[in-house]
Amino acid sequence: MGDVPAMMARLGRAARAAAAELAFAPAEAKRAALLAAADALCAAREEVMAANAEDLAHGREKGLSAAMMDRLLLDEARIGAIVAGLRAVAAQKDPVGEVIAAWDMPSGLHIERVRTPLGVVGVIYESRPNVTADAGALCLKSGNAVILRGGSESFHSSRAIHACLVAGLKSAGLPEAAIQLVPTRDRAAVSAMLAAVEHIDVIVPRGGKGLVGLVQAEARVPVFAHLEGICHVYVDKDADPEKARRVVLNAKTRRAGICGAAECLLVHREIAAGLGQRLVDDLMAAGVEVRAEGLVGTKAAAESDFGREFLDMIIAARVVDDVDAAIAHIRRHGSNHTEAILTENDATAERFFQRLDSAILMRNASTQFADGGEFGMGAEIGIATGKLHARGPVGAEQLTSFKYLVTGDGTIRA
């Protein structure tokens, strides 16, 4: 691609110009662009799956794991889900211009705090091509321009999806540079984005620990990110057995390669021999390798298995004395992403919720729900585990900041 820094500077300038227009684009135009993009993607299903077949072949040649290949795969159902996601984001309330708060001062000033776009968002992601659509849609909805840098594994799939997003922008009369895809696999493009403080307002990395760690270490641009999804499920002595068996199996096996998959099962000592062992047996029967301590699993757990993101059909399991011991374990080994407690005891659940500070805490529900689409956001651009600005699923609302609109009537300060 020649001079990558120069190319990225061109993309950045175009994004900044597009962002200036998007900041005041009518909500109806953004909605129309997303619906048109959904229609274009629906019509281009065969082309998208053909592009995905090229990526899958490349992934097999590279020796990608089964979990990574599953992340990469696009079939009719998954493309249908992407189309539904675009339409869901289109149907969301437009956050731009929303008055968050308003008040009057004794001086005579009327003050409003109003949502406004961040500007230009840079998204760096690995093998999941659906991120192309999710990120493009959420940034457009929130009035931001976006520069997408997909992984080499999803190169062809991302290009095919991006073409549909651009078709939507064109049909609605919005700037095509509002959603740009970096047209090279060259890793120099990532370095250029991380340093592009004059063009990009925030970086969102979507991928494994290696990618996110690199971004957090090298970025000069602010970052919304989580390093790992080390998600825990604690089964309390007061858990409903049937609910627990259903939730634990789903939390691990529905999709083992996503950041919301359970990576550690904690079981109260009083139920370890009964329900706890049945949970482990259920997992092993489903093909999960259980690395257990205090339970009979596939193999004995090593200490290094706790606090580990497997992203595969592997889970660590440990017996703990009570909810406080579970909380202590999660504080030590967790990544502040998502934790679940299975219990019918309200006081125990409240203790778990109060004493842990992960971005998402759940009761009697699978950690696989850690997803913006399942939170009513239509989609999400990532999960943020930091505490500044955005936290949990990053949807359109989290991609805005605010400004103050102050109105007087010839008002002067004494």
Side-chain angles (χ1 to χ4, degrees), residues 2 48 75-76 112 120 133 138 157 188 244 268 278 301 374:
V48 173
D75 54 19
E76 286 273 4
E112 295 181 336
V120 178
L138 288 168
S157 306
H268 193 292
R278 287 199 298 277
E374 299 298 329

Side-chain angles (χ1 to χ4, degrees), residues 8-322:
M8 294 306 297
R10 287 194 298 273
L11 293 182
R13 287 192 294 271
R16 186 61 78 195
E21 290 191 45
L22 288 181
F24 57 84
E28 182 52 41
K30 293 183 284 184
R31 177 178 170 279
L34 291 171
L35 292 176
D39 291 344
L41 180 56
C42 194
R45 291 190 305 276
E46 295 299 326
E47 292 93 327
V48 173
M49 285 191 288
N52 185 243
E54 290 187 66
D55 289 333
L56 290 170
H58 180 65
R60 283 189 289 270
E61 289 173 14
K62 287 182 65 176
L64 294 184
S65 69
M68 291 295 284
M69 290 293 285
D70 176 66
R71 284 185 169 206
L72 182 57
L73 173 68
L74 290 178
D75 54 19
E76 286 273 4
R78 289 188 180 178
I79 292 173
I82 296 172
V83 169
L86 288 169
R87 290 175 176 154
V89 174
Q92 296 285 314
K93 179 183 175 184
D94 193 304
V96 179
E98 176 190 353
V99 178
I100 304 168
W103 62 95
D104 294 305
M105 294 298 294
S107 61
L109 296 180
H110 176 71
I111 301 173
E112 295 181 336
R113 185 186 299 133
V114 179
R115 289 198 184 280
T116 187
L118 295 174
V120 178
V121 180
V123 184
I124 302 170
Y125 52 106
E126 292 181 324
S127 59
R128 292 178 65 177
N130 64 292
V131 176
T132 305
D134 290 350
L138 288 168
C139 288
L140 178 60
K141 185 73 175 184
S142 53
N144 296 292
V146 63
I147 299 173
L148 304 165
R149 202 287 183 178
S152 60
E153 300 92 345
S154 60
F155 187 73
H156 296 98
S157 306
S158 294
R159 287 206 300 181
I161 293 170
H162 176 250
C164 299
L165 297 175
V166 172
L169 291 168
K170 290 171 68 175
S171 73
L174 294 174
E176 292 179 40
I179 305 174
Q180 298 182 87
L181 182 69
V182 176
T184 178
R185 285 186 166 112
D186 194 324
R187 289 184 176 273
V190 173
S191 298
M193 288 177 70
L194 298 181
V197 291
E198 70 274 32
H199 300 308
I200 298 176
D201 294 288
V202 67
I203 293 282
V204 182
R206 284 284 300 265
K209 183 177 181 179
L211 169 67
V212 178
L214 169 75
V215 169
Q216 291 179 326
E218 296 189 7
R220 293 174 55 205
V221 179
V223 176
F224 294 164
H226 73 272
L227 190 61
E228 294 176 284
I230 304 171
C231 303
H232 295 78
V233 178
Y234 166 59
V235 185
D236 185 53
K237 65 182 178 65
D238 296 318
D240 177 282
E242 288 309 308
K243 289 181 188 176
R245 293 180 73 179
R246 208 162 51 240
V247 169
V248 168
L249 199 60
N250 182 268
K252 180 69 245 185
T253 66
R254 175 188 164 271
R255 290 189 69 183
I258 66 172
C259 64
E263 303 290 20
C264 183
L265 173 66
L266 302 173
V267 177
H268 193 292
R269 190 170 300 281
E270 289 185 25
I271 60 165
L275 175 58
Q277 192 58 54
R278 287 199 298 277
L279 295 172
V280 169
D281 292 342
D282 288 346
L283 289 165
M284 291 192 294
V288 178
E289 178 184 312
V290 182
R291 301 180 182 181
E293 179 185 286
L295 297 155
V296 180
T298 312
K299 60 189 290 188
E303 187 59 31
S304 60
D305 291 323
F306 299 103
R308 182 171 173 185
E309 186 180 37
F310 296 105
L311 296 175
D312 206 344
M313 290 286 276
I314 305 170
I315 193 169
R318 170 175 273 172
V319 174
V320 293
D321 289 337
D322 53 22

